[in-house]
Amino acid sequence: MSSNDFFAARERMLTRIAQTRDASKAGLPHWARAADGTWMFTSDGDWTGGAFVGELWLAHLADPKRFPISDARDALTRMLPRAQLRTAFKGFGFYHGGAVGSILFGDEMARNAALTAARSLGQMFDPKLGLIPLGQDAEEANAVGTAESSIDSLQATGLLYWAADQLADSHLEDVANAHMRRVLDIHVRPDNSVIQSSTLDPETGKVLRTHTHKGYSDVSTWGRAQAWAMLYTAHAAMVRPKQPLWREYAVRVLDWWIDHVPADLVAYWDFDDPAIPSTSRDTAATAIAAAASLRLASALGPTDGAKYREFAERTATQLVSGYLTPTSSGDQRPIGMLTGGCFTRKALARDIDTAPDAELIFSSYFLFECLAVFTGLVTVGRI
């Protein structure tokens, strides 16, 4: 895809971001129906709302007149009640919703919100477990115990590393390193595929069982589990270049993805679903994979990273050409929706997550972030 095509795709997504902003006066978008783009909102953003705030920060960078900085601040305000909840997943929301605003614009409100969430994450670290447990306020807290972990909990690390740098805080640095190491040790299998979840002994930290909470089966490789591992190892490799372990993990889990993703580069929701190819795709995991590949390319440099940069471009091209709603008058759907996102096909999903084929706000964020990089709006090493 040419740079002009990436610019055109970015403009389509900006059209959708503006429409979503105008519809999001009382809450934050979670997912939208693929058929007509109608959003499901949450009052405080749940774990996903920071993705929309992140879109608004990048949209302000792209078109400050159409997207005043107050758009992002207003949306971030709705997230603030989550800053001190006991959930490892808030690292995702407050990195993209808070830290990105501080990085790009020096925004003090964004910085303070992100630091509040990071300090709270640091306090959640459990030395017996060697990691930050999911926490009583995590999205699936009603289904897990107090000593449950998952690869998804790596969402804490990007925010912790940023906050450690902001505050010169060695405790937050140590927490991020310990959490990364332990979560990866538990959940990355010898063949470099990822198992999503684990149950630990709360007194000894011993792993009692591993399982895939949201995928096809207890032993399957859920697409988004692999994607989260890719994203956060690559991010750590980028922001902590002197730590070779993160680069090694990132290469391992990304190469597994590259070797196992379908030929059209758009992942199925679970790599082990026996119904493939007659089952759901997941553009969310796929968009995360593209964003992870850009981070690893940055971490490895122009020579060793060229393979991953090229893979990110090809993946984003497939998403834009196959799943991003067009501008043609014959398509009645809103322009710039990234369709084909699968929260999960598991029956145990929360009611607000029962969306096997939808526009997911976090998948839209990661594709938009990739397009921002490809069009020179921002450098990947900056965010």
Side-chain angles (χ1 to χ4, degrees), residues 243-277:
Q243 172 52 281
L245 184 60
W246 308 150
R247 289 197 303 277
E248 292 166 11
Y249 265 113
V251 168
R252 286 169 54 191
V253 293
L254 260 159
D255 282 352
W256 187 95
W257 178 282
I258 291 170
D259 289 343
H260 290 82
V261 75
D264 66 4
L265 306 184
V266 180
Y268 290 98
W269 77 290
D270 190 298
F271 282 86
D272 297 306
D273 185 343
I276 290 172

PDB file of all heavy atoms in Angstrom, residues 243-277:
ATOM      1  N   GLN A 243      17.983  -4.164  28.171  1.00  0.00           N
ATOM      2  CA  GLN A 243      17.517  -5.424  28.733  1.00  0.00           C
ATOM      3  C   GLN A 243      17.288  -6.422  27.588  1.00  0.00           C
ATOM      4  O   GLN A 243      16.243  -6.405  26.934  1.00  0.00           O
ATOM      5  CB  GLN A 243      16.229  -5.203  29.528  1.00  0.00           C
ATOM      6  CG  GLN A 243      15.517  -6.474  30.013  1.00  0.00           C
ATOM      7  CD  GLN A 243      16.403  -7.432  30.771  1.00  0.00           C
ATOM      8  OE1 GLN A 243      17.175  -8.178  30.159  1.00  0.00           O
ATOM      9  NE2 GLN A 243      16.319  -7.392  32.080  1.00  0.00           N
ATOM     10  N   PRO A 244      18.247  -7.284  27.300  1.00  0.00           N
ATOM     11  CA  PRO A 244      18.105  -8.191  26.144  1.00  0.00           C
ATOM     12  C   PRO A 244      16.977  -9.199  26.298  1.00  0.00           C
ATOM     13  O   PRO A 244      16.475  -9.712  25.292  1.00  0.00           O
ATOM     14  CB  PRO A 244      19.473  -8.887  26.070  1.00  0.00           C
ATOM     15  CG  PRO A 244      20.047  -8.774  27.454  1.00  0.00           C
ATOM     16  CD  PRO A 244      19.541  -7.472  27.997  1.00  0.00           C
ATOM     17  N   LEU A 245      16.572  -9.509  27.534  1.00  0.00           N
ATOM     18  CA  LEU A 245      15.543 -10.523  27.728  1.00  0.00           C
ATOM     19  C   LEU A 245      14.239 -10.133  27.060  1.00  0.00           C
ATOM     20  O   LEU A 245      13.549 -10.976  26.484  1.00  0.00           O
ATOM     21  CB  LEU A 245      15.319 -10.771  29.221  1.00  0.00           C
ATOM     22  CG  LEU A 245      14.333 -11.882  29.586  1.00  0.00           C
ATOM     23  CD1 LEU A 245      14.796 -13.228  29.030  1.00  0.00           C
ATOM     24  CD2 LEU A 245      14.154 -11.953  31.103  1.00  0.00           C
ATOM     25  N   TRP A 246      13.895  -8.858  27.127  1.00  0.00           N
ATOM     26  CA  TRP A 246      12.627  -8.434  26.517  1.00  0.00           C
ATOM     27  C   TRP A 246      12.690  -8.553  24.999  1.00  0.00           C
ATOM     28  O   TRP A 246      11.720  -8.945  24.360  1.00  0.00           O
ATOM     29  CB  TRP A 246      12.268  -7.007  26.926  1.00  0.00           C
ATOM     30  CG  TRP A 246      12.275  -6.706  28.387  1.00  0.00           C
ATOM     31  CD1 TRP A 246      12.560  -5.502  28.961  1.00  0.00           C
ATOM     32  CD2 TRP A 246      11.970  -7.591  29.495  1.00  0.00           C
ATOM     33  NE1 TRP A 246      12.464  -5.573  30.328  1.00  0.00           N
ATOM     34  CE2 TRP A 246      12.097  -6.840  30.686  1.00  0.00           C
ATOM     35  CE3 TRP A 246      11.610  -8.930  29.586  1.00  0.00           C
ATOM     36  CZ2 TRP A 246      11.877  -7.396  31.953  1.00  0.00           C
ATOM     37  CZ3 TRP A 246      11.396  -9.501  30.846  1.00  0.00           C
ATOM     38  CH2 TRP A 246      11.521  -8.739  31.999  1.00  0.00           C
ATOM     39  N   ARG A 247      13.840  -8.217  24.398  1.00  0.00           N
ATOM     40  CA  ARG A 247      13.989  -8.389  22.952  1.00  0.00           C
ATOM     41  C   ARG A 247      13.877  -9.857  22.564  1.00  0.00           C
ATOM     42  O   ARG A 247      13.248 -10.203  21.565  1.00  0.00           O
ATOM     43  CB  ARG A 247      15.338  -7.834  22.474  1.00  0.00           C
ATOM     44  CG  ARG A 247      15.454  -6.338  22.508  1.00  0.00           C
ATOM     45  CD  ARG A 247      16.612  -5.850  21.644  1.00  0.00           C
ATOM     46  NE  ARG A 247      17.887  -6.436  22.021  1.00  0.00           N
ATOM     47  CZ  ARG A 247      18.660  -5.988  23.017  1.00  0.00           C
ATOM     48  NH1 ARG A 247      18.259  -4.960  23.745  1.00  0.00           N
ATOM     49  NH2 ARG A 247      19.822  -6.564  23.277  1.00  0.00           N
ATOM     50  N   GLU A 248      14.502 -10.710  23.356  1.00  0.00           N
ATOM     51  CA  GLU A 248      14.471 -12.147  23.049  1.00  0.00           C
ATOM     52  C   GLU A 248      13.041 -12.682  23.087  1.00  0.00           C
ATOM     53  O   GLU A 248      12.617 -13.419  22.189  1.00  0.00           O
ATOM     54  CB  GLU A 248      15.352 -12.898  24.046  1.00  0.00           C
ATOM     55  CG  GLU A 248      16.834 -12.603  23.899  1.00  0.00           C
ATOM     56  CD  GLU A 248      17.650 -13.087  25.088  1.00  0.00           C
ATOM     57  OE1 GLU A 248      17.082 -13.834  25.923  1.00  0.00           O
ATOM     58  OE2 GLU A 248      18.835 -12.720  25.188  1.00  0.00           O
ATOM     59  N   TYR A 249      12.297 -12.306  24.124  1.00  0.00           N
ATOM     60  CA  TYR A 249      10.909 -12.743  24.206  1.00  0.00           C
ATOM     61  C   TYR A 249      10.093 -12.181  23.040  1.00  0.00           C
ATOM     62  O   TYR A 249       9.266 -12.886  22.453  1.00  0.00           O
ATOM     63  CB  TYR A 249      10.282 -12.297  25.529  1.00  0.00           C
ATOM     64  CG  TYR A 249      10.330 -13.329  26.625  1.00  0.00           C
ATOM     65  CD1 TYR A 249      11.106 -13.126  27.758  1.00  0.00           C
ATOM     66  CD2 TYR A 249       9.575 -14.496  26.558  1.00  0.00           C
ATOM     67  CE1 TYR A 249      11.136 -14.065  28.796  1.00  0.00           C
ATOM     68  CE2 TYR A 249       9.595 -15.440  27.570  1.00  0.00           C
ATOM     69  CZ  TYR A 249      10.378 -15.221  28.694  1.00  0.00           C
ATOM     70  OH  TYR A 249      10.396 -16.150  29.703  1.00  0.00           O
ATOM     71  N   ALA A 250      10.301 -10.913  22.719  1.00  0.00           N
ATOM     72  CA  ALA A 250       9.523 -10.290  21.654  1.00  0.00           C
ATOM     73  C   ALA A 250       9.753 -10.988  20.317  1.00  0.00           C
ATOM     74  O   ALA A 250       8.804 -11.247  19.562  1.00  0.00           O
ATOM     75  CB  ALA A 250       9.861  -8.800  21.554  1.00  0.00           C
ATOM     76  N   VAL A 251      10.993 -11.293  20.014  1.00  0.00           N
ATOM     77  CA  VAL A 251      11.297 -11.998  18.766  1.00  0.00           C
ATOM     78  C   VAL A 251      10.641 -13.379  18.772  1.00  0.00           C
ATOM     79  O   VAL A 251      10.049 -13.810  17.764  1.00  0.00           O
ATOM     80  CB  VAL A 251      12.819 -12.100  18.572  1.00  0.00           C
ATOM     81  CG1 VAL A 251      13.162 -13.072  17.447  1.00  0.00           C
ATOM     82  CG2 VAL A 251      13.412 -10.722  18.277  1.00  0.00           C
ATOM     83  N   ARG A 252      10.706 -14.065  19.887  1.00  0.00           N
ATOM     84  CA  ARG A 252      10.141 -15.411  19.964  1.00  0.00           C
ATOM     85  C   ARG A 252       8.629 -15.412  19.699  1.00  0.00           C
ATOM     86  O   ARG A 252       8.131 -16.173  18.865  1.00  0.00           O
ATOM     87  CB  ARG A 252      10.419 -16.016  21.342  1.00  0.00           C
ATOM     88  CG  ARG A 252      11.856 -16.446  21.559  1.00  0.00           C
ATOM     89  CD  ARG A 252      12.120 -16.780  23.019  1.00  0.00           C
ATOM     90  NE  ARG A 252      11.162 -17.775  23.543  1.00  0.00           N
ATOM     91  CZ  ARG A 252      11.041 -18.079  24.835  1.00  0.00           C
ATOM     92  NH1 ARG A 252      11.808 -17.458  25.730  1.00  0.00           N
ATOM     93  NH2 ARG A 252      10.165 -18.999  25.217  1.00  0.00           N
ATOM     94  N   VAL A 253       7.907 -14.549  20.420  1.00  0.00           N
ATOM     95  CA  VAL A 253       6.441 -14.603  20.294  1.00  0.00           C
ATOM     96  C   VAL A 253       5.963 -13.991  18.979  1.00  0.00           C
ATOM     97  O   VAL A 253       4.965 -14.444  18.403  1.00  0.00           O
ATOM     98  CB  VAL A 253       5.742 -13.944  21.507  1.00  0.00           C
ATOM     99  CG1 VAL A 253       6.001 -14.762  22.769  1.00  0.00           C
ATOM    100  CG2 VAL A 253       6.155 -12.493  21.719  1.00  0.00           C
ATOM    101  N   LEU A 254       6.696 -13.001  18.460  1.00  0.00           N
ATOM    102  CA  LEU A 254       6.318 -12.429  17.164  1.00  0.00           C
ATOM    103  C   LEU A 254       6.621 -13.384  16.023  1.00  0.00           C
ATOM    104  O   LEU A 254       5.822 -13.514  15.083  1.00  0.00           O
ATOM    105  CB  LEU A 254       7.042 -11.101  16.957  1.00  0.00           C
ATOM    106  CG  LEU A 254       6.195  -9.858  17.241  1.00  0.00           C
ATOM    107  CD1 LEU A 254       7.066  -8.651  17.518  1.00  0.00           C
ATOM    108  CD2 LEU A 254       5.268  -9.581  16.073  1.00  0.00           C
ATOM    109  N   ASP A 255       7.747 -14.057  16.095  1.00  0.00           N
ATOM    110  CA  ASP A 255       8.053 -15.031  15.039  1.00  0.00           C
ATOM    111  C   ASP A 255       7.043 -16.176  15.052  1.00  0.00           C
ATOM    112  O   ASP A 255       6.692 -16.704  13.985  1.00  0.00           O
ATOM    113  CB  ASP A 255       9.480 -15.553  15.195  1.00  0.00           C
ATOM    114  CG  ASP A 255      10.528 -14.566  14.699  1.00  0.00           C
ATOM    115  OD1 ASP A 255      10.143 -13.538  14.103  1.00  0.00           O
ATOM    116  OD2 ASP A 255      11.735 -14.820  14.920  1.00  0.00           O
ATOM    117  N   TRP A 256       6.581 -16.580  16.238  1.00  0.00           N
ATOM    118  CA  TRP A 256       5.540 -17.608  16.285  1.00  0.00           C
ATOM    119  C   TRP A 256       4.300 -17.117  15.545  1.00  0.00           C
ATOM    120  O   TRP A 256       3.708 -17.859  14.746  1.00  0.00           O
ATOM    121  CB  TRP A 256       5.187 -17.947  17.735  1.00  0.00           C
ATOM    122  CG  TRP A 256       4.244 -19.113  17.845  1.00  0.00           C
ATOM    123  CD1 TRP A 256       4.585 -20.417  18.039  1.00  0.00           C
ATOM    124  CD2 TRP A 256       2.800 -19.088  17.734  1.00  0.00           C
ATOM    125  NE1 TRP A 256       3.461 -21.218  18.057  1.00  0.00           N
ATOM    126  CE2 TRP A 256       2.352 -20.414  17.873  1.00  0.00           C
ATOM    127  CE3 TRP A 256       1.866 -18.086  17.534  1.00  0.00           C
ATOM    128  CZ2 TRP A 256       0.992 -20.761  17.814  1.00  0.00           C
ATOM    129  CZ3 TRP A 256       0.508 -18.422  17.474  1.00  0.00           C
ATOM    130  CH2 TRP A 256       0.089 -19.743  17.612  1.00  0.00           C
ATOM    131  N   TRP A 257       3.906 -15.878  15.793  1.00  0.00           N
ATOM    132  CA  TRP A 257       2.731 -15.307  15.106  1.00  0.00           C
ATOM    133  C   TRP A 257       2.929 -15.315  13.591  1.00  0.00           C
ATOM    134  O   TRP A 257       2.053 -15.737  12.835  1.00  0.00           O
ATOM    135  CB  TRP A 257       2.484 -13.889  15.618  1.00  0.00           C
ATOM    136  CG  TRP A 257       1.340 -13.177  14.975  1.00  0.00           C
ATOM    137  CD1 TRP A 257       1.325 -12.577  13.745  1.00  0.00           C
ATOM    138  CD2 TRP A 257       0.027 -12.997  15.512  1.00  0.00           C
ATOM    139  NE1 TRP A 257       0.101 -12.015  13.484  1.00  0.00           N
ATOM    140  CE2 TRP A 257      -0.719 -12.258  14.556  1.00  0.00           C
ATOM    141  CE3 TRP A 257      -0.591 -13.351  16.700  1.00  0.00           C
ATOM    142  CZ2 TRP A 257      -2.055 -11.880  14.764  1.00  0.00           C
ATOM    143  CZ3 TRP A 257      -1.916 -12.977  16.915  1.00  0.00           C
ATOM    144  CH2 TRP A 257      -2.625 -12.264  15.950  1.00  0.00           C
ATOM    145  N   ILE A 258       4.065 -14.820  13.151  1.00  0.00           N
ATOM    146  CA  ILE A 258       4.338 -14.734  11.717  1.00  0.00           C
ATOM    147  C   ILE A 258       4.279 -16.124  11.082  1.00  0.00           C
ATOM    148  O   ILE A 258       3.780 -16.294   9.961  1.00  0.00           O
ATOM    149  CB  ILE A 258       5.699 -14.056  11.479  1.00  0.00           C
ATOM    150  CG1 ILE A 258       5.619 -12.571  11.873  1.00  0.00           C
ATOM    151  CG2 ILE A 258       6.141 -14.200  10.031  1.00  0.00           C
ATOM    152  CD1 ILE A 258       6.973 -11.863  11.918  1.00  0.00           C
ATOM    153  N   ASP A 259       4.754 -17.133  11.803  1.00  0.00           N
ATOM    154  CA  ASP A 259       4.769 -18.498  11.269  1.00  0.00           C
ATOM    155  C   ASP A 259       3.385 -19.152  11.266  1.00  0.00           C
ATOM    156  O   ASP A 259       3.169 -20.123  10.525  1.00  0.00           O
ATOM    157  CB  ASP A 259       5.725 -19.372  12.080  1.00  0.00           C
ATOM    158  CG  ASP A 259       7.186 -19.020  11.852  1.00  0.00           C
ATOM    159  OD1 ASP A 259       7.487 -18.348  10.851  1.00  0.00           O
ATOM    160  OD2 ASP A 259       8.013 -19.406  12.698  1.00  0.00           O
ATOM    161  N   HIS A 260       2.449 -18.652  12.085  1.00  0.00           N
ATOM    162  CA  HIS A 260       1.165 -19.337  12.248  1.00  0.00           C
ATOM    163  C   HIS A 260      -0.043 -18.541  11.771  1.00  0.00           C
ATOM    164  O   HIS A 260      -1.135 -19.113  11.635  1.00  0.00           O
ATOM    165  CB  HIS A 260       0.960 -19.713  13.728  1.00  0.00           C
ATOM    166  CG  HIS A 260       1.876 -20.796  14.199  1.00  0.00           C
ATOM    167  ND1 HIS A 260       3.175 -20.563  14.594  1.00  0.00           N
ATOM    168  CD2 HIS A 260       1.693 -22.143  14.327  1.00  0.00           C
ATOM    169  CE1 HIS A 260       3.753 -21.696  14.953  1.00  0.00           C
ATOM    170  NE2 HIS A 260       2.879 -22.665  14.790  1.00  0.00           N
ATOM    171  N   VAL A 261       0.115 -17.269  11.501  1.00  0.00           N
ATOM    172  CA  VAL A 261      -1.027 -16.468  11.060  1.00  0.00           C
ATOM    173  C   VAL A 261      -1.432 -16.915   9.647  1.00  0.00           C
ATOM    174  O   VAL A 261      -0.586 -17.378   8.866  1.00  0.00           O
ATOM    175  CB  VAL A 261      -0.668 -14.963  11.102  1.00  0.00           C
ATOM    176  CG1 VAL A 261       0.241 -14.561   9.941  1.00  0.00           C
ATOM    177  CG2 VAL A 261      -1.915 -14.084  11.154  1.00  0.00           C
ATOM    178  N   PRO A 262      -2.720 -16.832   9.295  1.00  0.00           N
ATOM    179  CA  PRO A 262      -3.139 -17.228   7.941  1.00  0.00           C
ATOM    180  C   PRO A 262      -2.422 -16.425   6.858  1.00  0.00           C
ATOM    181  O   PRO A 262      -1.861 -15.355   7.110  1.00  0.00           O
ATOM    182  CB  PRO A 262      -4.644 -16.928   7.942  1.00  0.00           C
ATOM    183  CG  PRO A 262      -5.044 -16.979   9.374  1.00  0.00           C
ATOM    184  CD  PRO A 262      -3.867 -16.464  10.148  1.00  0.00           C
ATOM    185  N   ALA A 263      -2.494 -16.930   5.647  1.00  0.00           N
ATOM    186  CA  ALA A 263      -1.783 -16.305   4.531  1.00  0.00           C
ATOM    187  C   ALA A 263      -2.216 -14.865   4.293  1.00  0.00           C
ATOM    188  O   ALA A 263      -1.415 -14.042   3.826  1.00  0.00           O
ATOM    189  CB  ALA A 263      -1.995 -17.130   3.260  1.00  0.00           C
ATOM    190  N   ASP A 264      -3.480 -14.543   4.612  1.00  0.00           N
ATOM    191  CA  ASP A 264      -3.936 -13.163   4.419  1.00  0.00           C
ATOM    192  C   ASP A 264      -3.610 -12.277   5.616  1.00  0.00           C
ATOM    193  O   ASP A 264      -3.999 -11.097   5.640  1.00  0.00           O
ATOM    194  CB  ASP A 264      -5.433 -13.116   4.108  1.00  0.00           C
ATOM    195  CG  ASP A 264      -6.302 -13.581   5.270  1.00  0.00           C
ATOM    196  OD1 ASP A 264      -5.772 -13.876   6.356  1.00  0.00           O
ATOM    197  OD2 ASP A 264      -7.537 -13.643   5.086  1.00  0.00           O
ATOM    198  N   LEU A 265      -2.899 -12.823   6.610  1.00  0.00           N
ATOM    199  CA  LEU A 265      -2.352 -12.100   7.761  1.00  0.00           C
ATOM    200  C   LEU A 265      -3.391 -11.660   8.791  1.00  0.00           C
ATOM    201  O   LEU A 265      -3.042 -11.003   9.776  1.00  0.00           O
ATOM    202  CB  LEU A 265      -1.533 -10.881   7.331  1.00  0.00           C
ATOM    203  CG  LEU A 265      -0.402 -11.145   6.321  1.00  0.00           C
ATOM    204  CD1 LEU A 265       0.386  -9.865   6.066  1.00  0.00           C
ATOM    205  CD2 LEU A 265       0.514 -12.257   6.808  1.00  0.00           C
ATOM    206  N   VAL A 266      -4.657 -12.018   8.621  1.00  0.00           N
ATOM    207  CA  VAL A 266      -5.709 -11.661   9.572  1.00  0.00           C
ATOM    208  C   VAL A 266      -6.015 -12.896  10.411  1.00  0.00           C
ATOM    209  O   VAL A 266      -6.502 -13.907   9.889  1.00  0.00           O
ATOM    210  CB  VAL A 266      -6.972 -11.135   8.866  1.00  0.00           C
ATOM    211  CG1 VAL A 266      -8.043 -10.774   9.890  1.00  0.00           C
ATOM    212  CG2 VAL A 266      -6.622  -9.923   8.004  1.00  0.00           C
ATOM    213  N   ALA A 267      -5.731 -12.815  11.696  1.00  0.00           N
ATOM    214  CA  ALA A 267      -5.800 -13.987  12.562  1.00  0.00           C
ATOM    215  C   ALA A 267      -7.242 -14.434  12.804  1.00  0.00           C
ATOM    216  O   ALA A 267      -8.169 -13.622  12.834  1.00  0.00           O
ATOM    217  CB  ALA A 267      -5.149 -13.668  13.911  1.00  0.00           C
ATOM    218  N   TYR A 268      -7.412 -15.723  13.010  1.00  0.00           N
ATOM    219  CA  TYR A 268      -8.658 -16.229  13.576  1.00  0.00           C
ATOM    220  C   TYR A 268      -8.662 -15.927  15.075  1.00  0.00           C
ATOM    221  O   TYR A 268      -7.607 -15.668  15.672  1.00  0.00           O
ATOM    222  CB  TYR A 268      -8.785 -17.728  13.320  1.00  0.00           C
ATOM    223  CG  TYR A 268      -9.018 -18.049  11.869  1.00  0.00           C
ATOM    224  CD1 TYR A 268      -7.961 -18.438  11.042  1.00  0.00           C
ATOM    225  CD2 TYR A 268     -10.271 -17.916  11.307  1.00  0.00           C
ATOM    226  CE1 TYR A 268      -8.153 -18.702   9.699  1.00  0.00           C
ATOM    227  CE2 TYR A 268     -10.481 -18.187   9.952  1.00  0.00           C
ATOM    228  CZ  TYR A 268      -9.426 -18.573   9.155  1.00  0.00           C
ATOM    229  OH  TYR A 268      -9.625 -18.821   7.820  1.00  0.00           O
ATOM    230  N   TRP A 269      -9.852 -15.949  15.660  1.00  0.00           N
ATOM    231  CA  TRP A 269      -9.963 -15.556  17.070  1.00  0.00           C
ATOM    232  C   TRP A 269      -9.128 -16.455  17.979  1.00  0.00           C
ATOM    233  O   TRP A 269      -8.594 -16.008  18.990  1.00  0.00           O
ATOM    234  CB  TRP A 269     -11.417 -15.556  17.508  1.00  0.00           C
ATOM    235  CG  TRP A 269     -11.987 -16.929  17.780  1.00  0.00           C
ATOM    236  CD1 TRP A 269     -12.261 -17.912  16.880  1.00  0.00           C
ATOM    237  CD2 TRP A 269     -12.297 -17.470  19.069  1.00  0.00           C
ATOM    238  NE1 TRP A 269     -12.733 -19.030  17.508  1.00  0.00           N
ATOM    239  CE2 TRP A 269     -12.782 -18.786  18.860  1.00  0.00           C
ATOM    240  CE3 TRP A 269     -12.247 -16.978  20.372  1.00  0.00           C
ATOM    241  CZ2 TRP A 269     -13.193 -19.612  19.904  1.00  0.00           C
ATOM    242  CZ3 TRP A 269     -12.658 -17.795  21.416  1.00  0.00           C
ATOM    243  CH2 TRP A 269     -13.128 -19.089  21.183  1.00  0.00           C
ATOM    244  N   ASP A 270      -8.992 -17.735  17.606  1.00  0.00           N
ATOM    245  CA  ASP A 270      -8.166 -18.684  18.343  1.00  0.00           C
ATOM    246  C   ASP A 270      -7.451 -19.553  17.308  1.00  0.00           C
ATOM    247  O   ASP A 270      -8.085 -20.072  16.393  1.00  0.00           O
ATOM    248  CB  ASP A 270      -9.026 -19.539  19.277  1.00  0.00           C
ATOM    249  CG  ASP A 270      -8.204 -20.370  20.241  1.00  0.00           C
ATOM    250  OD1 ASP A 270      -7.424 -21.234  19.767  1.00  0.00           O
ATOM    251  OD2 ASP A 270      -8.329 -20.174  21.470  1.00  0.00           O
ATOM    252  N   PHE A 271      -6.146 -19.691  17.448  1.00  0.00           N
ATOM    253  CA  PHE A 271      -5.365 -20.421  16.468  1.00  0.00           C
ATOM    254  C   PHE A 271      -5.724 -21.911  16.421  1.00  0.00           C
ATOM    255  O   PHE A 271      -5.400 -22.594  15.456  1.00  0.00           O
ATOM    256  CB  PHE A 271      -3.872 -20.259  16.758  1.00  0.00           C
ATOM    257  CG  PHE A 271      -3.307 -18.931  16.315  1.00  0.00           C
ATOM    258  CD1 PHE A 271      -3.369 -17.815  17.146  1.00  0.00           C
ATOM    259  CD2 PHE A 271      -2.723 -18.786  15.075  1.00  0.00           C
ATOM    260  CE1 PHE A 271      -2.861 -16.587  16.746  1.00  0.00           C
ATOM    261  CE2 PHE A 271      -2.206 -17.562  14.649  1.00  0.00           C
ATOM    262  CZ  PHE A 271      -2.281 -16.463  15.493  1.00  0.00           C
ATOM    263  N   ASP A 272      -6.389 -22.411  17.477  1.00  0.00           N
ATOM    264  CA  ASP A 272      -6.672 -23.841  17.568  1.00  0.00           C
ATOM    265  C   ASP A 272      -8.148 -24.182  17.432  1.00  0.00           C
ATOM    266  O   ASP A 272      -8.538 -25.322  17.713  1.00  0.00           O
ATOM    267  CB  ASP A 272      -6.142 -24.387  18.895  1.00  0.00           C
ATOM    268  CG  ASP A 272      -4.631 -24.257  18.997  1.00  0.00           C
ATOM    269  OD1 ASP A 272      -3.939 -24.734  18.080  1.00  0.00           O
ATOM    270  OD2 ASP A 272      -4.144 -23.664  19.974  1.00  0.00           O
ATOM    271  N   ASP A 273      -8.972 -23.241  17.016  1.00  0.00           N
ATOM    272  CA  ASP A 273     -10.382 -23.546  16.812  1.00  0.00           C
ATOM    273  C   ASP A 273     -10.498 -24.555  15.666  1.00  0.00           C
ATOM    274  O   ASP A 273     -10.093 -24.269  14.537  1.00  0.00           O
ATOM    275  CB  ASP A 273     -11.142 -22.259  16.468  1.00  0.00           C
ATOM    276  CG  ASP A 273     -12.653 -22.471  16.366  1.00  0.00           C
ATOM    277  OD1 ASP A 273     -13.099 -23.636  16.230  1.00  0.00           O
ATOM    278  OD2 ASP A 273     -13.392 -21.475  16.411  1.00  0.00           O
ATOM    279  N   PRO A 274     -11.064 -25.742  15.914  1.00  0.00           N
ATOM    280  CA  PRO A 274     -11.143 -26.747  14.844  1.00  0.00           C
ATOM    281  C   PRO A 274     -12.079 -26.363  13.712  1.00  0.00           C
ATOM    282  O   PRO A 274     -12.049 -27.006  12.653  1.00  0.00           O
ATOM    283  CB  PRO A 274     -11.646 -27.997  15.586  1.00  0.00           C
ATOM    284  CG  PRO A 274     -12.324 -27.483  16.796  1.00  0.00           C
ATOM    285  CD  PRO A 274     -11.583 -26.245  17.196  1.00  0.00           C
ATOM    286  N   ALA A 275     -12.894 -25.312  13.928  1.00  0.00           N
ATOM    287  CA  ALA A 275     -13.808 -24.881  12.876  1.00  0.00           C
ATOM    288  C   ALA A 275     -13.123 -24.015  11.818  1.00  0.00           C
ATOM    289  O   ALA A 275     -13.750 -23.667  10.810  1.00  0.00           O
ATOM    290  CB  ALA A 275     -14.987 -24.120  13.483  1.00  0.00           C
ATOM    291  N   ILE A 276     -11.872 -23.641  12.026  1.00  0.00           N
ATOM    292  CA  ILE A 276     -11.154 -22.854  11.018  1.00  0.00           C
ATOM    293  C   ILE A 276     -11.234 -23.578   9.675  1.00  0.00           C
ATOM    294  O   ILE A 276     -11.010 -24.784   9.608  1.00  0.00           O
ATOM    295  CB  ILE A 276      -9.676 -22.675  11.440  1.00  0.00           C
ATOM    296  CG1 ILE A 276      -9.581 -21.739  12.664  1.00  0.00           C
ATOM    297  CG2 ILE A 276      -8.835 -22.115  10.299  1.00  0.00           C
ATOM    298  CD1 ILE A 276      -8.189 -21.666  13.271  1.00  0.00           C
ATOM    299  N   PRO A 277     -11.593 -22.920   8.575  1.00  0.00           N
ATOM    300  CA  PRO A 277     -11.736 -21.476   8.393  1.00  0.00           C
ATOM    301  C   PRO A 277     -13.152 -20.933   8.616  1.00  0.00           C
ATOM    302  O   PRO A 277     -13.388 -19.757   8.372  1.00  0.00           O
ATOM    303  CB  PRO A 277     -11.326 -21.280   6.930  1.00  0.00           C
ATOM    304  CG  PRO A 277     -11.839 -22.531   6.268  1.00  0.00           C
ATOM    305  CD  PRO A 277     -11.627 -23.627   7.274  1.00  0.00           C
TER     306      PRO A 277
END
